[in-house]
């Protein structure tokens, strides 16, 4: 239900504070805030939720999960079967796998030739770092002393301006605290990523190896690398079927993967590193596949990589502490970055303009999750407990010729209250808790379903969303609560990026459970007869589409 109310959002650009203080009340269109109380009480049996078919939940016991006679089975035939168990981790088979770097002998040049090459290709600072890491006898003790002192001064300057202090091992601000995986340190599968163009799923296991599951392929490539430690995030490159970016403790690995029998050892990786940019906790490809962004909680700089040149340009912004993660909009014209403090930024990377950012703040904590939907709709929530999901419309009305006014200031609109709710089970003596602090949030590419994973709840909340004009969410409704088998809790999740055509429009949510079971949860909507419209009209999408973007890295400031 849509109502017209007076509302002042606590989220606003830092530069607009004085303007908003003069105009305390803003009239905005706001939808009813959804509460977890509106969800149906989950069942108390030992069955797992396996599908949502035409608004009807389907349950199944463990023994019948692979039964082809089940109504949900026909929707899962195009997805690879995946299961991770503790006995396959760090086995002899995985220990024998190799990367292409193991097949070639290294070339040993003199230290001075390497210094000259690094200075010519990467600059004086990288040459100083190489000299400082060398043995004193190789470059003489005097040159080594000078190089170590210069490197110490450069590190001190970086730490004073852009660098955060050493990250805590556990608790608030640690790597495990900022990643989008529940129980990241102990989870059998640490993160997953669907390929944007085919039925191919990459799974990072607890031993920091990456397994590639492809529908119809009997061979499962296993990727390992000496620098592939503490993997936090992976992301497939669009329009390049076999390239995968990996966020690691030391930097970013970009894998080129060869699939098929006897081709595993031909896969190779390139390590991208920048000084004081580690550990990396987030990597994201631009939707056009030409740029890669990486973030580190220990670095206030966000690095934009041109992987073809193996070069990275930092987006430097003082303030906001380190960066937790970044997200591109589906059209690539905006880039969201969340800091480890209450500051987040939305970068405009649009047409024929220099990259620039709007600085925003949340009242408490930091932004824990964020995702873009169609038409530049941004949803985000902080890490406070309980959290609230907010919507921030970013799309402009390019056909509105009226002069901008203070009434046009963008406001974050609350969509959902995630306060904990205790559902009493059928037996009357026990209950389950849903809600609290949010760990992960994923929005399907069509913008119709939003999945929420909580830190202390065994259920995933699935919400129906509806978008209106100019990237505004006009309706949110509870869909269902997804549960696993007894003892299972969800660790991470990802929507399949392509909707399967055939038996209805299938949306697939892939969930990693704490047992190692990886579930494909199909969402099938009712078929709606197409409406015939003989009148001539122009698609708003075609009018608002941007075909080119300015990705000149030298223009970033």
């Amino acid at each position: 239900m849509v109502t017209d109310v007076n509302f002042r959002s606590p989220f606003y650009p830092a530069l607009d504070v004085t303007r908003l203080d003069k105009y305390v009340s803003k009239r905005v269109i706001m939808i009813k805030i959804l509460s977890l109380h509106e969800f149906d009480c989950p069942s108390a049996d030992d069955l797992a939720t396996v599908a949502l078919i035409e608004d009807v939940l389907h349950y199944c016991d463990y023994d019948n999960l692979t039964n082809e006679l089940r109504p949900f089975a026909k929707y899962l035939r195009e997805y690879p079967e995946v299961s991770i168990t503790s006995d396959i981790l760090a086995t002899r088979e995985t220990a024998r796998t190799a990367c292409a770097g193991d097949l070639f002998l290294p070339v040993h040049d003199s230290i001075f030739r390497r210094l000259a090459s690094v200075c010519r290709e990467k600059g004086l600072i990288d040459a100083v770092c190489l000299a400082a890491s060398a043995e004193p006898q190789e470059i003489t003790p005097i040159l080594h002393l000078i190089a170590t002192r210069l490197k110490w001064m450069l590190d001190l300057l970086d730490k004073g301006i852009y660098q955060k202090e050493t990250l805590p091992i556990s608790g608030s601000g640690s790597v495990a605290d900022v990643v989008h995986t529940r129980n990241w340190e102990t989870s059998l599968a640490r993160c997953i990523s669907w390929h944007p163009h085919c039925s191919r799923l990459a799974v990072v296991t607890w031993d920091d190896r990456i397994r590639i599951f492809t529908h119809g392929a009997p061979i499962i490539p296993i990727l390992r690398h000496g620098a592939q430690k503490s993997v936090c995030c992976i992301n497939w490159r669009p329009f390049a079927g076999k390239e995968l970016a990996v966020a690691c403790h030391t930097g970013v690995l970009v894998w080129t993967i060869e699939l098929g029998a006897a081709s595993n050892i031909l896969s190779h990786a390139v390590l991208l590193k920048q000084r004081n940019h580690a550990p990396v906790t987030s990597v994201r490809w631009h939707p056009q596949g030409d740029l890669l962004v990486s973030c580190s909680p220990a670095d206030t700089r966000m690095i934009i990589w041109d992987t073809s040149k193996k070069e990275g340009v930092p987006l430097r912004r003082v303030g906001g502490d380190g960066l937790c993660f970044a997200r591109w909009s589906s059209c690539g014209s905006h880039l969201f970055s969340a800091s480890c403090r209450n500051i987040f930024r939305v970068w405009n990377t649009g047409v024929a303009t220099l990259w620039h950012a709007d600085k925003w703040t949340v009242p408490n904590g930091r932004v824990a999750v964020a995702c873009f939907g169609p038409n530049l709709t941004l949803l985000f929530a902080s890490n406070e407990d309980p959290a609230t999901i907010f919507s921030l419309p970013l799309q402009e009305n390019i056909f509105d010729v009226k002069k901008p006014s203070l009434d046009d200031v963008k406001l974050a609109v609350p969509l959902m209250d995630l306060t904990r709710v205790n559902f009493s089970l059928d037996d009357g003596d026990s209950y389950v808790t849903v809600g609290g602090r949010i760990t992960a949030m994923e929005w399907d590419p069509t913008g119709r379903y939003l999945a929420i994973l909580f830190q202390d709840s065994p259920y995933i909340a699935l919400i129906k969303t509806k978008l209106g004009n100019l990237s505004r969410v006009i309706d949110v409704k509870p869909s269902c609560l997804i549960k696993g088998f007894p003892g299972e809790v969800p660790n991470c999740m990802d929507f399949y990026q392509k909707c399967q055509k055939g038996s209805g429009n299938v949306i697939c949510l892939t969930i990693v459970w704490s047992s190692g079971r990886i579930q494909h949860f199909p969402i099938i909507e009712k078929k709606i007869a197409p409406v015939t419209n003989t009148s001539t009209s122009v698609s708003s999408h075609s009018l608002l589409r941007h075909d080119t973007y300015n990705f000149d890295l030298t223009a970033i400031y």
Side-chain angles (χ1 to χ4, degrees), residues 356-375:
H356 61 276
D358 291 328
K359 181 179 177 182
W360 300 67
T361 61
V362 294
N364 297 304
R366 60 173 176 82
V367 174
V369 292
C371 51
F372 279 100
N375 302 330

Side-chain angles (χ1 to χ4, degrees), residues 11 33 380-382 384 386-390 414-419 438:
F11 303 96
I33 299 178
F380 64 93
S382 66
E384 60 182 341
T388 301
I389 297 176
F390 283 82
L415 292 184
M416 185 171 181
D417 180 15
L418 302 181
T419 301
I438 187 172

Side-chain angles (χ1 to χ4, degrees), residues 515-529:
S515 63
R517 181 174 67 94
I518 297 182
Q519 173 189 6
H520 304 306
F521 184 87
I523 306 170
I524 296 90
E525 295 185 327
K526 294 180 180 179
K527 295 182 180 179
I528 302 176

Side-chain angles (χ1 to χ4, degrees), residues 55-74:
D55 293 329
V56 177
L57 273 179
H58 290 254
Y59 299 85
C60 185
D61 57 14
Y62 187 82
D63 295 333
N64 292 310
L65 274 177
T66 57
N67 189 344
E68 282 290 325
L69 299 179
R70 291 285 178 171
F72 59 86
K74 64 179 180 180

Side-chain angles (χ1 to χ4, degrees), residues 425-444:
L425 299 181
D426 299 336
D427 54 17
D429 297 329
S430 57
Y431 63 90
V432 292
T433 301
V434 181
R437 179 177 173 178
I438 187 172
T439 297
M441 182 171 66
E442 297 290 340
W443 209 356
D444 90 281

Side-chain angles (χ1 to χ4, degrees), residues 2-231:
V2 179
T3 57
D4 192 9
V5 298
N6 290 330
F7 173 75
R8 184 195 179 195
S9 170
F11 303 96
Y12 47 80
L15 297 180
D16 292 332
V17 174
T18 56
R19 294 194 299 173
L20 288 176
D21 286 341
K22 294 173 62 178
Y23 295 85
V24 176
S25 177
K26 299 293 179 184
R27 297 179 62 83
V28 297
I29 298 300
M30 176 179 168
I31 66 175
K32 176 185 175 183
I33 299 178
L34 183 67
S35 171
L36 293 174
H37 288 281
E38 300 179 41
F39 281 84
D40 293 334
C41 181
S43 61
D45 50 37
D46 293 341
L47 303 179
T49 316
V50 292
L52 180 64
I53 303 176
E54 297 183 352
D55 293 329
V56 177
L57 273 179
H58 290 254
Y59 299 85
C60 185
D61 57 14
Y62 187 82
D63 295 333
N64 292 310
L65 274 177
T66 57
N67 189 344
E68 282 290 325
L69 299 179
R70 291 285 178 171
F72 59 86
K74 64 179 180 180
Y75 301 107
L76 301 178
R77 291 169 185 162
E78 300 299 322
Y79 303 104
E81 295 184 7
V82 186
S83 182
I84 304 297
T85 57
S86 56
D87 58 334
I88 71 172
L89 304 182
T91 60
R92 290 183 180 179
E93 178 185 0
T94 60
R96 286 199 301 268
T97 59
C99 61
D102 300 327
L103 304 178
F104 302 95
L105 294 176
V107 177
H108 295 285
D109 288 331
S110 68
I111 184 63
F112 294 103
R113 179 173 295 181
R114 281 186 288 161
L115 285 173
S117 176
V118 170
C119 185
R120 180 176 62 253
E121 296 177 3
K122 297 184 178 181
L124 180 61
I125 294 179
D126 289 286
V128 170
C129 294
L130 176 61
S133 63
E135 294 294 331
Q137 294 77 13
E138 292 184 282
I139 60 172
T140 71
I142 295 178
L143 289 179
H144 184 266
L145 179 63
I146 296 174
T148 53
R149 291 293 185 268
L150 287 175
K151 184 177 182 300
W152 176 79
M153 293 175 62
L154 291 171
D155 289 342
L156 188 63
L157 180 63
D158 266 357
K159 289 182 179 180
I161 300 177
Y162 301 111
Q163 193 75 3
K164 185 183 176 182
E165 296 297 327
T166 304
L167 296 178
I169 299 176
S170 61
S172 177
S174 64
V175 171
D177 181 57
V178 303
V179 298
H180 296 146
T181 301
R182 176 174 174 173
N183 303 326
W184 173 80
E185 295 174 313
T186 58
S187 177
L188 291 178
R190 285 186 161 177
C191 53
I192 60 175
S193 177
W194 273 111
H195 196 283
H197 309 306
C198 61
S199 182
R200 182 174 298 156
L201 180 68
V203 180
V204 178
T205 52
W206 179 78
D207 56 1
D208 286 320
R209 286 167 168 79
I210 302 175
R211 290 164 169 81
I212 310 297
F213 297 87
T214 306
H215 174 67
I219 303 298
I220 302 175
I222 302 174
L223 309 178
R224 69 176 182 88
H225 192 280
Q228 195 166 281
K229 304 296 183 183
S230 299
V231 177

